[in-house]
Amino acid sequence: MPNPLASLYPQHLATVRERADRALALGGFDHLLVAAGTPLRKFLDDQDYPFVVSPHFKHWVPLIDAPGSWVIHTPGNKPKLVFVQPHDYWHVVPEAPRGYWVEHFDIVIVRSFAEAVAQLPAGHCAVLAAASPGIDGVTANNPQLVLDYLHWHRSYKTPYELALMREASRIGTRAHRAAEAAFRAGESEFAIHLAYLAAARQIDAELPYASIVALNEHGAVLHYTHFDRVPPAHNHSFLIDAGASAAGYASDITRTYAAPQAAEFQALIDSVDAAQQGFVAQVRPGQNYAELHVHAHHVLAGVLREHGFLHMSAESAVESGVTGAFFPHGLGHPIGLQVHDVAGFQQNERGGTISRPDGHPYLRMTRMLEPGMAVTIEPGLYFIEMLLAELRDKPFASDIDWARVERFRQYGGIRIEDDVVCTSGAPENLTRDAFAAG
Ligand code: GLY
Ligand code: MN
Ligand code: MN
């Protein structure tokens, strides 16, 4: 069967080249040099941290294991890939590039980082690279106006990129199903994590972010990345936030499950799930993301009231900061080559910042939604003692049912997270489509 990516890639590359042409023109540059990056060495050691390729590099080519390599773009010329394939019998060396995309590049294979640098052109270059060992002889300048232009336009995904994000969602949902089965079988967080990795067929270092696998009250630790080796005495609930990668594109998926006897928690999950689907339906052109986030606070206040946690109005729950204690993170963020993708606050292609609404310090996206953008929608409700304690001596504390809050602490919290593409019509829910197809 022909690889569908083969027919999508030429248009993707043409788009990336056009954007690069315009970014270079802004700064009067002759060439764009994009480093894959080099591994980072551990202090006083002979071991490296896992290599993480630059997002700019993997925007051009579907290569994630290419340390020391470079893409060279000169307007009007076929792009060039300088690919490092060391003579090395200690390690598996990166395979020579092959596949649907290689015909679109002039490819030069070299044996060392220094040989790669020697291939770089002279002239006025925009050099996108992290300062790191192995790029001696070239100076990264990361021109802000070039980055601002490229980052802004990276928000608009090409059909090729969306195909890879669908694949990342398929891998992630397959692994989520395996994790749910391990939870239902009473496994430990560690064993659930291993089941997830096995089903994804990805190792930790390949995932777009560290998985959160949280049983019971651990769900209240927003970035819980510890894995208990033994199962808890009682299973009440399970929150898993875990993604997968496809050629360097991310999925970011969260699901929350109740144990069979925890009907009251299942009912709360169902309400958050219904609210989440309502927010997803509003991923439409012209929707301001920050306003959607504030709207989510109002809807979640209603959920807290309906389930007997609050007696105050939704308005006063939002204004007094009560919803902020139960929902203390942002509604979501841009996603793509990075799990928290660039340009969530950017004003326009020349930079600038759209600030967050007051009182919402963790929101990662304030832009207006437009067709081609991909964002997560991830509302949550948690029972976090540290944040709830701040409400206990407030005048409105008597409007909170503390006994009910206390009983729900055993469940930790709820988050439901989907990856959603804004189109000119109905939103495309990458996550739910993948769950439904699998
Ligand atoms: N897993 C990180 C996030 O949801 O943003
Ligand atoms: Mn997320
Ligand atoms: Mn997540």
Side-chain angles (χ1 to χ4, degrees):
M1 214 176 72
N3 183 344
L5 295 172
S7 58
L8 296 173
Y9 183 75
Q11 185 246 323
H12 170 74
L13 184 62
T15 302
V16 171
R17 289 177 65 177
E18 275 165 32
R19 291 175 186 169
D21 287 353
R22 292 198 297 270
L24 291 175
L26 284 176
F29 293 102
D30 305 321
H31 311 279
L32 179 69
L33 312 185
V34 185
T38 56
L40 203 56
R41 183 62 37 114
K42 293 180 183 172
F43 185 49
L44 299 180
D45 205 334
D46 64 354
Q47 303 292 308
D48 296 330
Y49 291 104
F51 174 68
V52 178
V53 72
S54 153
H56 287 281
F57 184 85
K58 62 183 176 173
H59 202 198
W60 285 83
V61 286
L63 289 176
I64 49 173
D65 182 25
S69 298
W70 293 80
V71 164
I72 301 168
H73 170 69
T74 307
N77 291 1
K78 192 172 187 178
K80 184 169 170 181
L81 172 67
V82 181
F83 187 79
V84 178
Q85 195 180 42
H87 277 304
D88 176 349
Y89 62 89
W90 292 94
H91 305 99
V92 174
V93 298
E95 260 188 68
R98 62 191 168 87
Y100 58 84
W101 58 274
V102 295
E103 65 185 87
H104 303 285
F105 282 80
D106 283 331
I107 298 180
V108 180
I109 295 191
V110 296
R111 298 301 177 194
S112 69
F113 296 168
E115 281 179 36
V117 169
Q119 291 286 327
L120 301 177
H124 194 35
C125 297
V127 184
L128 306 189
S132 66
I135 64 163
D136 306 334
V138 56
T139 307
N141 53 9
N142 299 306
Q144 194 60 47
L145 79 184
V146 171
L147 287 180
D148 283 341
Y149 187 89
L150 295 178
H151 285 176
W152 174 263
H153 289 280
R154 230 172 80 188
S155 305
Y156 308 96
K157 271 48 180 184
T158 63
Y160 168 82
E161 294 184 286
L162 293 177
L164 287 171
M165 291 182 72
R166 286 184 200 106
E167 175 63 8
S169 296
R170 280 192 291 270
I171 300 167
T173 52
R174 180 175 79 216
H176 266 257
R177 260 194 233 93
E180 184 194 356
F183 160 66
R184 300 283 180 209
E187 303 277 14
S188 67
E189 291 166 347
F190 184 69
I192 296 171
H193 177 55
L194 295 183
Y196 183 94
L197 294 177
R201 296 192 277 278
Q202 298 190 353
I203 59 167
D204 271 300
E206 292 169 306
L207 300 180
Y209 60 92
S211 297
I212 295 165
V213 175
L215 292 172
N216 301 341
E217 70 280 4
H218 294 158
V221 181
L222 294 182
H223 283 171
Y224 177 82
T225 50
H226 176 81
F227 301 101
D228 264 358
R229 299 325 193 239
V230 289
H234 301 285
N235 256 344
H236 303 294
S237 61
F238 174 40
L239 185 156
I240 173 165
D241 182 345
S245 303
Y249 284 84
S251 61
D252 180 6
I253 303 168
T254 310
R255 286 295 180 267
T256 309
Y257 304 98
Q261 79 286 357
E264 59 182 4
F265 189 58
Q266 184 62 56
L268 189 60
I269 294 174
D270 292 343
S271 294
V272 174
D273 191 68
Q276 192 264 4
Q277 295 196 54
F279 309 146
V280 167
Q282 295 187 55
V283 174
R284 292 200 173 246
Q287 170 69 52
N288 178 303
Y289 194 92
E291 285 171 12
L292 189 55
H293 166 85
V294 173
H295 167 70
H297 273 265
H298 287 267
V299 173
L300 292 171
V303 170
L304 288 167
R305 264 174 66 91
E306 187 192 320
H307 285 265
F309 296 103
L310 306 182
H311 306 305
M312 63 187 75
S313 72
E315 278 62 39
S316 38
V318 177
E319 273 156 33
S320 58
V322 168
T323 55
F326 288 95
F327 173 37
H329 59 72
L331 181 63
H333 48 84
I335 183 168
L337 285 163
Q338 293 167 271
V339 61
H340 297 151
D341 216 3
V342 286
F345 303 103
Q346 211 169 311
Q347 215 149 27
N348 56 44
E349 63 186 23
R350 303 301 289 265
T353 304
I354 307 169
S355 47
R356 300 178 176 99
D358 282 345
H360 298 273
Y362 299 112
L363 182 58
R364 286 202 177 93
M365 166 83 178
T366 49
R367 274 172 71 178
M368 187 92 89
L369 293 169
E370 292 174 66
M373 288 184 175
V375 293
T376 68
I377 297 290
E378 50 179 306
L381 286 178
Y382 310 85
F383 301 92
I384 303 172
E385 179 50 29
M386 190 182 118
L387 300 180
L388 294 170
E390 292 171 14
L391 303 181
R392 282 181 206 269
D393 56 2
K394 294 273 164 56
F396 48 76
S398 58
D399 282 338
I400 298 172
D401 184 336
W402 291 105
R404 189 160 171 78
V405 166
E406 192 54 34
R407 195 167 73 248
F408 271 67
R409 280 187 50 199
Q410 64 187 327
Y411 303 121
I414 298 170
R415 181 164 62 258
I416 315 275
E417 175 173 30
D418 291 343
D419 304 342
V420 185
V421 180
C422 182
T423 77
S424 56
E428 178 182 354
N429 190 323
L430 301 175
T431 310
R432 295 205 188 228
D433 288 354
F435 269 119

